[in-house]
Amino acid sequence: MSEFNAPNTETGTTSTNSSEEVIVSKPSIAKSIHTEEAIFITLIVLSAVGIGFTNFMPAKSFWFWVAMVPVFGATSLYVGWSKARKRGEGISRIIWVQLLHWLGLLAAIGLVYLLSETTDRITSNQIALMALLSLALVTFLAGVHFDWRFMVVGVILGAAVAGAALVEQLIWMIIIPIAALMVLIIFWWKRNT
């Protein structure tokens, strides 16, 4: 007769037909994070760095946000592509939609920069916040259309814009708890699915 092992979820042990107990260790948090969650956590961390950069050096932070557009776009493309592949959908449509989505953001940021350079109506502080606001909006819309976790990142970026516009001195006290809460929500959601 073969021996049957039934897991005991309450105690973390495995019971067998014999009187032996074997302790089963749970995987560490680092091992339980999947690639997509690690990517979103990285986006949130990069966003926090950029928000700090915007707060201390607004004139130079514009270029940081421009550099983040391909990073966010590539992430969205990867997540959309992997989801389409799992569902057996055509990948070429996902690629075109994603490219148009993120290239539209680059065009909008380029126009904002052009307005800043040619008309002097927009200061360097304002241009950085406008670039961040544009990235927040497009990231949120990527969450609406592609993956809900982009909405979380978009809300964090939008909260940063609101915080910078309303309470520049307190931005870190607003963003860090929101980012920590979002990371906890992702872990909680992943653990329950």
Side-chain angles (χ1 to χ4, degrees):
M1 239 186 209
S2 67
E3 203 171 311
F4 175 75
N5 293 337
N8 183 349
T9 56
E10 292 178 10
T11 61
T13 62
T14 301
S15 59
T16 61
N17 286 343
S18 64
S19 62
E20 299 176 16
E21 284 191 12
V22 178
I23 296 176
V24 178
S25 63
K26 290 186 175 188
S28 69
I29 291 176
K31 289 182 181 179
S32 66
I33 297 175
H34 296 307
T35 303
E36 288 181 9
E37 282 75 26
I39 288 171
F40 283 103
I41 291 169
T42 303
L43 288 181
I44 290 171
V45 168
L46 285 172
S47 298
V49 168
I51 290 163
F53 195 43
T54 300
N55 197 26
F56 294 109
M57 291 188 281
K60 294 180 182 178
S61 67
F62 171 77
W63 295 109
F64 176 85
W65 293 116
V66 169
M68 287 297 99
V69 172
V71 172
F72 279 61
T75 301
S76 181
L77 185 62
Y78 169 77
V79 171
W81 175 73
S82 65
K83 286 184 178 272
R85 191 176 49 153
K86 289 176 185 175
R87 292 186 300 236
E89 295 178 358
I91 295 173
S92 61
R93 183 182 183 289
I94 297 290
I95 291 172
W96 279 111
V97 169
Q98 294 270 1
L99 283 175
L100 289 173
H101 183 84
W102 294 98
L103 287 174
L105 172 61
L106 276 178
I109 289 176
L111 288 173
V112 167
Y113 183 72
L114 182 66
L115 281 172
S116 170
E117 291 297 311
T118 59
T119 65
D120 288 332
R121 292 183 182 178
I122 303 171
T123 67
S124 60
N125 292 351
Q126 294 168 335
I127 193 172
L129 288 177
M130 289 178 76
L132 176 55
L133 178 62
S134 300
L135 182 61
L137 175 62
V138 171
T139 303
F140 183 84
L141 291 174
V144 169
H145 297 290
F146 308 125
D147 188 310
W148 68 270
R149 293 172 287 194
F150 281 103
M151 285 194 313
V152 172
V153 177
V155 166
I156 291 171
L157 292 173
V161 173
L166 299 174
V167 190
E168 190 172 318
Q169 302 301 324
L170 303 175
I171 195 159
W172 286 106
M173 293 194 301
I174 295 169
I175 295 302
I176 292 174
I178 290 173
L181 179 65
M182 294 303 140
V183 169
L184 288 173
I185 288 170
I186 290 171
F187 280 129
W188 176 80
W189 176 81
K190 189 61 185 168
R191 215 164 190 205
N192 291 332
T193 57

